[in-house]
Amino acid sequence: MRQAGSYSGILISGKTGPHLLPLARIKKIMKKSGDGVKMISGESPIVFSKACEMFIKELTQRSWMVTMQGKRRTLNKEDVASAVMATDLFDFLLNLVSEMDTSKSS
Amino acid sequence: MAEDITGAASINDGVGLKEQDRLLPIANVGRIMKQIVPPNAKISKEAKETMQECVSEFISFVTSEASQKCRKERRKTVNGDDICWALATLGLDDYEVPLKRYLHKFREVEGERAANQMRANGGDSSKEKEDEQYPFKFSFIGSTSNDSNFRPFD
């Protein structure tokens, strides 16, 4: 069951600035998504900056649960990979994490 | 151990972007991750790098879906609603509602700001500048709350 707790009720205050992630970079990544992504509205990177934040938080939370199960205090990349594999929603990342695994293998 | 912020020598992933262009900055990603784990927890550099890759993949994946929708509907510009729709389509519907509200408020705030700027042209320039940097001075309410908590300008 998916938990919504980490990202509901996000407070955006004028003091810290609205975006935690650089909009121009997000836009670049969007443009390179292929399939002829031509034009992107000004608000799209802004929506994505929030979506990415939510995504990072969710994946981190799930990864941290794996870390805790291993009774460790350092979140490592295998924890992230485990979290991806354990979450159906993150199936689109399976290739990515398994690729990274094989490149690391000694 | 000092962190290599710019990232190692580029891995050509065939898309044609240098690594620093292809990924969101590791410092920003790391900061968000730190918000989730306890204060005494550590996050390995590799974990942050993995997260960087995952986020970029996330952006590409969702954008692709959104852009296909635009093409089908013969529209050239991917907008915020398309992103929200794509998130829902890909099963990330928990994100869709909060983001739609975020987008809606952003459009409201932007519209107000634009109108105010026009009206107050040559008025209080310092406040105008602040608004420009920080257009969002509101609490973002999750899908379960009602709007009575909504304070547009804190």
Side-chain angles (χ1 to χ4, degrees), chain A residues 65-78:
Chain A
M65 276 158 42
V66 178
T67 314
M68 281 200 296
Q69 278 167 18
K71 298 200 191 331
R72 287 175 280 107
R73 299 304 283 178
T74 301
L75 198 162
N76 60 33
K77 83 173 212 185
E78 284 76 22

Side-chain angles (χ1 to χ4, degrees), chain B residues 30-131:
Chain B
R31 216 173 292 135
I32 298 172
M33 292 176 80
K34 281 205 162 78
Q35 290 179 14
I36 295 298
V37 299
N40 62 344
K42 289 186 167 37
I43 304 171
S44 79
K45 181 178 167 220
E46 278 185 337
K48 292 182 200 172
E49 286 169 348
T50 304
M51 187 62 74
Q52 279 180 295
E53 297 277 356
C54 289
V55 181
S56 290
E57 189 66 28
F58 169 73
I59 295 172
S60 292
F61 186 57
V62 175
T63 302
S64 238
E65 198 69 24
S67 129
Q68 278 180 41
K69 178 179 200 272
C70 286
R71 241 177 311 134
K72 274 189 200 148
E73 296 174 6
R74 296 174 195 256
R75 282 184 290 114
K76 282 190 186 156
T77 308
V78 175
N79 63 33
D81 287 319
D82 297 324
I83 311 280
C84 290
W85 177 89
L87 287 165
T89 302
L90 297 167
L92 297 154
D93 38 290
D94 275 4
Y95 291 36
E96 188 204 359
V97 173
L99 284 173
K100 271 204 161 131
R101 294 173 72 108
Y102 181 85
L103 180 58
H104 179 66
K105 295 306 171 196
F106 167 72
R107 285 171 174 165
E108 263 182 23
V109 170
E110 277 294 294
E112 266 182 47
R113 195 173 64 87
N116 285 336
Q117 267 181 352
M118 279 172 65
R119 260 185 259 123
N121 207 4
D124 186 355
S125 56
S126 60
K127 183 176 191 300
E128 220 173 275
K129 201 180 181 182
E130 198 195 0
D131 279 347

Side-chain angles (χ1 to χ4, degrees), chain A residues 6 10 12 15 25-26 28 30-31 33-35 48 55 59 69 75-77 79 82 87 89-90 93 102:
Chain A
S6 64
I10 293 169
I12 304 158
K15 297 182 184 106
R25 187 77 59 88
I26 291 175
K28 258 190 198 159
M30 286 179 75
K31 288 204 146 155
S33 299
D35 293 314
F48 253 126
F55 170 79
L59 185 49
Q69 278 167 18
L75 198 162
N76 60 33
K77 83 173 212 185
D79 300 331
S82 297
T87 312
L89 216 51
F90 295 152
L93 295 170
T102 28

